Amino acid sequence: MKKCIRNNVLVYNYEAVPEMAMGEQAQVDFGETIQETPERKKAKLYFIAFVLSHSRYKYVEWLDRPFTTRDLINAHENAFKWFEGIPHEMVYDQDSVIVVSENGGNLIYTKEFEVYRQQRGLKVRICRKADPESKGRIENVVGYIKKNFAKHRIFTNIDRWNEDSWKWLNRTGNYKIHQTTKKRPVEVFQEEKHHLRPVPNPLEFSNVKPVSSITRTVRRDNTIRYQSNRYSVPLGTFNKQEKVYIQRTEEHLLIYASPNGPLMAEHKICHGKGQLIQDRQHTRDRSKGIDAYMDTVASYFTDSHLAQCFLKEIRDRYPRYIRDQLQIIMNQLKRTPQEISNQALEECVDKRLFCATDFVDMIQYIKRQRPLNVTDVRNEEGKIKPFHGQNAFIIQTYAQKRDVNEYIAVLEGEK
């Protein structure tokens, strides 16, 4: 996908992507529907959908409440049984039951999902927010389920609803000819399932604690108060909702949009008072283009050409997170002497450490290795500073001095 300007309008140019190899990838996403009950009431339902990228073979699972991390894991286990194997790569959106936060491209998963990911050996790829093109197959599946299965159906109970959806998959969702491949997913799947990794024995997981119902009012400056401190929420929250829901762990404060809604912010608990704890993601500076931003960062180094090469390598490795990487480096440069920054740059290039966090670690390492210059400290302490700039003339004032013989004459009684 590329951006271009046409008739003063920003448009996107797309190109066809080759088909994935068998067993290579599955895409996952969530969806919601509102169904009518026999009593003519409205029931909100939530579902998670899986699709094998090659065969387009699908699986769906429903709940009558929002998904938790444990629900997500159970759905994965059921999907792997349905597929009779595990794909080599799983593609997800940035959902709060999967990702807690991102640090310049270094994603931090929820604790329970990270345990599950390691136990199952899942290779995970997380799409950037508001980027449906990178997971177009599952986006189409979510819409297909809403329009072809859920539409006009009457909801009675969640168990019956799940059973009906699986029957629909076997009858329609996986049986009808796919418009792109011109093949039946169920027929292609018979070949693809042999390329999936085998499913080990079932796993057991502990329960996930529910979100607290404690609320906080969003202030005009997009912060909330908690224990005499202010914690930031994403910019614009004040204009969207009056209250948010909070949950405290041992070390972190979690802020949610609703009791079972997405995670909005996570902060480390501050034990002081009157402090502002702010996530840099909540005040991101998007006014500069990436190229101009790289020039600005490079100007902080003596060898700007070497700096540009360093930043370009970071951009190649973290194309989706380059702005976050540059912000991390810039924040460090603003509080680091240029001599140390130059040395850290050379060390990172020499050791091929092309990452913002590695650059920060290198600066900290160099600072720890530098000996304390005692002479400079003593010279600095030995400087005499005037009491006040306006009374500097006092220092130049001299008192009258008497000859010492006058004092001797007094002592001898001559005067």
Side-chain angles (χ1 to χ4, degrees):
M1 181 186 71
K2 294 183 178 180
K3 300 178 183 179
C4 65
I5 303 296
R6 184 181 301 164
N7 296 329
N8 295 325
V9 178
L10 178 63
V11 296
Y12 295 88
N13 292 323
Y14 299 90
E15 62 180 7
V17 179
E19 289 294 329
M20 284 284 180
M22 288 190 176
E24 177 65 25
Q25 184 191 89
Q27 298 185 5
V28 187
D29 203 1
F30 295 91
E32 301 175 4
T33 65
I34 297 179
Q35 306 297 140
E36 188 173 313
T37 66
E39 296 80 17
R40 295 192 177 277
K41 295 182 179 180
K42 300 294 183 181
K44 189 172 185 179
L45 303 181
Y46 305 82
F47 67 91
I48 182 172
F50 298 75
V51 61
L52 295 176
S53 295
H54 181 84
S55 64
R56 308 311 203 269
Y57 196 70
K58 310 165 193 66
Y59 174 75
V60 63
E61 191 166 314
W62 296 80
L63 286 177
D64 53 3
R65 55 175 173 77
F67 278 78
T68 64
T69 304
R70 184 181 181 184
D71 297 326
L72 171 75
I73 293 172
N74 289 334
H76 275 68
E77 291 295 289
N78 296 333
F80 295 153
K81 290 179 183 178
W82 180 273
F83 293 146
E84 302 178 41
I86 302 176
H88 295 278
E89 180 185 58
M90 305 293 294
V91 180
Y92 304 91
D93 203 351
Q94 286 196 29
D95 196 275
S96 62
V97 298
I98 300 174
V99 178
V100 174
S101 64
E102 55 180 353
N103 180 20
N106 300 318
L107 296 169
I108 302 174
Y109 301 106
T110 57
K111 180 179 180 180
E112 195 166 7
F113 181 77
E114 174 62 15
V115 172
Y116 177 69
R117 185 186 70 83
Q118 294 182 9
Q119 288 180 320
R120 280 301 191 214
L122 299 181
K123 179 183 177 183
V124 173
R125 180 160 69 87
I126 304 295
C127 299
R128 298 219 65 164
K129 295 180 180 179
D131 185 21
E133 291 80 7
S134 57
K135 51 180 176 45
R137 291 180 177 87
I138 192 62
E139 293 284 344
N140 292 334
V141 170
V142 169
Y144 183 54
I145 293 171
K146 289 181 179 180
K147 296 176 183 177
N148 290 270
F149 169 74
K151 193 174 183 180
H152 304 310
R153 285 182 181 264
I154 302 299
F155 172 75
T156 53
N157 63 74
I158 196 63
D159 293 331
R160 176 66 181 275
W161 190 265
N162 270 307
E163 291 177 3
D164 290 344
S165 69
W166 297 328
K167 292 177 181 178
W168 171 82
L169 283 176
N170 290 326
R171 183 181 63 251
T172 303
N174 288 326
Y175 185 79
K176 282 193 171 182
I177 295 176
H178 194 274
Q179 294 298 316
T180 301
T181 64
K182 305 302 179 183
K183 300 176 183 178
R184 300 183 193 277
V186 66
E187 295 176 353
V188 183
F189 171 70
Q190 299 306 316
E191 174 70 21
E192 184 174 17
K193 67 181 180 180
H194 299 296
H195 297 266
L196 300 173
R197 295 192 293 119
V199 181
N201 295 328
L203 302 175
E204 296 182 359
F205 303 91
S206 59
N207 292 327
V208 179
K209 295 182 180 180
V211 177
S212 170
S213 60
I214 300 176
T215 63
R216 286 292 186 273
T217 300
V218 180
R219 298 161 56 87
R220 187 179 296 274
D221 59 355
N222 291 287
T223 61
I224 64 168
R225 283 195 176 275
Y226 180 74
Q227 293 186 345
S228 303
N229 291 312
R230 292 180 297 149
Y231 294 84
S232 68
V233 294
L235 201 64
T237 302
F238 174 77
N239 297 323
K240 297 178 182 178
Q241 57 191 94
E242 295 181 357
K243 295 183 180 295
V244 293
Y245 295 77
I246 63 172
Q247 179 185 35
R248 175 170 179 169
T249 63
E250 292 184 1
E251 297 183 356
H252 292 84
L253 179 68
L254 308 178
I255 305 174
Y256 295 85
S258 62
N260 295 300
L263 180 69
M264 300 176 63
E266 179 182 12
H267 298 282
K268 190 170 183 179
I269 296 294
C270 177
H271 299 288
K273 291 186 178 181
Q275 302 296 316
L276 170 63
I277 298 86
Q278 192 171 48
D279 189 334
R280 61 183 178 81
Q281 293 287 341
H282 300 163
T283 58
R284 295 180 71 177
D285 180 13
R286 302 177 182 272
S287 59
K288 293 185 177 181
I290 297 300
D291 292 334
Y293 203 170
M294 290 175 62
D295 292 339
T296 302
V297 174
S299 66
Y300 278 73
F301 298 93
T302 303
D303 191 344
S304 59
H305 176 71
L306 181 63
Q308 284 284 5
C309 295
F310 174 68
L311 299 176
K312 183 179 182 301
E313 188 69 29
I314 292 178
R315 187 175 189 175
D316 292 339
R317 298 190 179 199
Y318 298 90
R320 298 159 61 202
Y321 297 92
I322 181 59
R323 185 178 295 275
D324 304 283
Q325 294 275 320
L326 293 174
Q327 285 182 337
I328 293 172
I329 295 174
M330 176 64 84
N331 291 337
Q332 185 63 46
L333 290 174
K334 289 181 178 179
R335 56 177 183 266
T336 304
Q338 190 180 53
E339 179 185 356
I340 297 178
S341 299
N342 290 336
Q343 186 178 349
L345 173 65
E346 294 173 359
E347 291 291 337
C348 285
V349 173
D350 183 61
K351 293 178 171 56
R352 302 193 62 79
L353 301 175
F354 299 107
C355 178
T357 52
D358 290 337
F359 177 77
V360 174
D361 291 341
M362 183 61 70
I363 285 181
Q364 301 305 321
Y365 172 78
I366 293 173
K367 286 182 177 179
R368 291 194 298 269
Q369 299 303 312
R370 290 170 65 90
L372 182 64
N373 194 332
V374 180
T375 303
D376 291 344
V377 174
R378 289 176 177 174
N379 291 339
E380 185 68 22
E381 293 177 350
K383 292 180 180 179
I384 300 175
K385 298 180 180 180
F387 293 107
H388 196 284
Q390 294 180 349
N391 298 327
F393 70 92
I394 297 178
I395 300 176
Q396 302 176 0
T397 303
Y398 296 94
Q400 183 179 3
K401 298 180 181 179
R402 293 178 179 271
D403 189 275
V404 68
N405 293 325
E406 294 185 23
Y407 295 100
I408 294 176
V410 171
L411 292 174
E412 293 178 348
E414 295 182 2
K415 292 186 179 180

